[in-house]
C-alpha cells in the first residue's frame, strides 16, 4: 500500500477494522511504502494507535509493536473448550489447542474426523483464550492449531490424513514419541 506522509494505508486500515492487527511495520525511506505483518489479535486498537503515532512522528524504521499481554476479557466470547468427540476408552486422546473462529483448526478437526473410523481416538479441545488456559495462550498464541497426543507435543498448523494415521497408530501401539518443534511464544518474547 502506498503511504503519503502522515497517512494510513487503506488496505491496512480495512484489515485492522476487520479484527486484524499489525504486529510490525516498516517504511522504506526511498519509496515510502508500508509493510504490515498481520496476525489475528484482539489488541488491534493498541496496535493501530501505535502505528498511527509512529507515522505522525515520521519515523522510517522497522518497529516491532508490543504483543498482547493476554487473551481478551470479552464476556460475550464463546469458549470452544471441551470434548469434540469420544473414542473407545483405550483409544489415544488428542488435544487440539484452538480458539473460536480458527479456520486452520477446523481443517485439522476435519482431517482427524476422517481418520476416526480407522484410527479411533478422542478429540479434546482447549481454548487458549480461556482465562484458566493462560499458560497455553502464552505458549501457543501465534501457532494454533497445535496438537498433543496424551501429554506429548505432536504437530502445529496443518495435518494430512497420512500424518494423522501414522501418529495415531503409533499412539495406539504405545510407541508415539514427542515431535520436535514445539512452539513457545513466551520464550521468544523474553529473548
Amino acid at each position: 500500500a502506498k503511504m503519503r506522509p502522515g497517512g494510513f494505508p487503506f488496505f491496512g486500515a480495512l484489515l485492522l477494522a476487520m479484527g486484524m492487527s499489525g504486529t510490525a511495520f516498516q517504511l522504506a525511506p526511498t519509496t515510502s511504502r508500508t509493510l504490515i505483518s498481520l496476525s489475528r489479535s484482539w489488541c488491534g486498537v493498541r496496535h493501530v494507535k501505535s502505528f498511527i503515532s509512529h507515522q505522525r512522528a515520521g519515523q522510517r524504521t522497522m518497529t516491532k509493536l508490543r504483543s498482547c499481554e493476554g487473551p481478551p476479557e470479552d464476556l460475550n466470547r464463546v469458549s470452544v473448550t471441551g470434548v469434540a468427540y469420544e473414542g473407545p476408552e483405550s483409544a489415544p486422546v488428542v488435544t487440539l489447542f484452538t480458539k473460536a473462529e480458527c479456520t486452520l483448526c477446523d481443517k485439522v478437526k476435519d482431517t482427524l474426523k476422517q481418520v476416526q473410523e480407522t484410527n479411533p481416538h478422542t478429540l479434546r479441545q482447549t481454548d487458549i483464550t480461556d482465562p484458566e488456559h493462560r499458560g497455553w495462550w502464552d505458549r501457543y498464541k501465534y501457532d494454533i492449531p497445535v496438537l498433543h497426543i496424551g501429554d506429548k507435543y505432536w504437530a502445529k498448523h496443518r495435518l494430512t490424513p497420512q500424518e494423522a494415521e501414522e501418529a495415531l497408530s503409533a499412539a495406539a501401539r504405545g510407541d508415539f514419541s514427542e515431535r520436535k518443534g514445539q512452539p513457545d511464544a513466551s520464550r521468544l518474547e523474553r529473548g
Side-chain angles (χ1 to χ4, degrees):
K2 294 268 183 193
M3 172 71 86
R4 64 179 193 278
F8 190 81
F10 174 76
F11 182 70
L14 178 64
L15 288 173
L16 290 165
M18 292 170 31
M20 305 296 279
S21 70
T23 56
F25 73 91
Q26 177 181 11
L27 288 180
T30 56
T31 61
S32 295
R33 280 187 282 153
T34 302
L35 169 68
I36 302 174
S37 298
L38 298 167
S39 66
R40 299 271 310 159
S41 177
W42 22 81
C43 300
V45 172
R46 183 185 330 158
H47 289 175
V48 171
K49 286 180 181 176
S50 178
F51 184 87
I52 291 171
S53 69
H54 281 81
Q55 295 305 305
R56 288 187 180 147
Q59 293 182 356
R60 301 281 191 261
T61 59
M62 183 68 165
T63 302
K64 185 157 176 74
L65 301 176
R66 293 177 304 183
S67 64
C68 300
E69 294 179 7
E73 295 186 22
D74 180 2
L75 299 177
N76 296 320
R77 186 182 64 79
V78 175
S79 174
V80 295
T81 294
V83 177
Y85 53 82
E86 293 267 356
E89 193 171 315
S90 62
V93 175
V94 176
T95 303
L96 170 63
F97 294 90
T98 185
K99 68 177 187 168
E101 299 180 23
C102 172
T103 56
L104 285 177
C105 301
D106 293 339
K107 290 179 183 181
V108 165
K109 283 192 284 190
D110 291 344
T111 300
L112 288 168
K113 192 68 172 162
Q114 287 175 13
V115 301
Q116 169 65 3
E117 194 170 309
T118 57
N119 293 278
H121 60 277
T122 295
L123 179 61
R124 295 190 178 144
Q125 299 181 136
T126 299
D127 188 329
I128 64 170
T129 64
D130 290 345
E132 65 270 23
H133 298 137
R134 173 67 190 261
W136 295 119
W137 162 263
D138 291 341
R139 178 171 274 217
Y140 294 152
K141 61 186 162 189
Y142 303 128
D143 288 296
I144 60 171
V146 174
L147 294 164
H148 286 197
I149 294 181
D151 61 351
K152 298 176 182 175
Y153 169 73
W154 173 21
K156 65 181 178 182
H157 302 160
R158 291 178 171 73
L159 184 67
T160 66
Q162 182 180 354
E163 291 168 333
E165 289 172 352
E166 290 171 3
L168 290 168
S169 293
R173 290 189 310 268
D175 62 354
F176 175 80
S177 58
E178 184 166 271
R179 305 299 197 246
K180 292 182 181 179
Q182 182 174 13
D184 188 353
S186 63
R187 187 190 58 194
L188 294 173
E189 289 174 349
R190 284 187 304 254

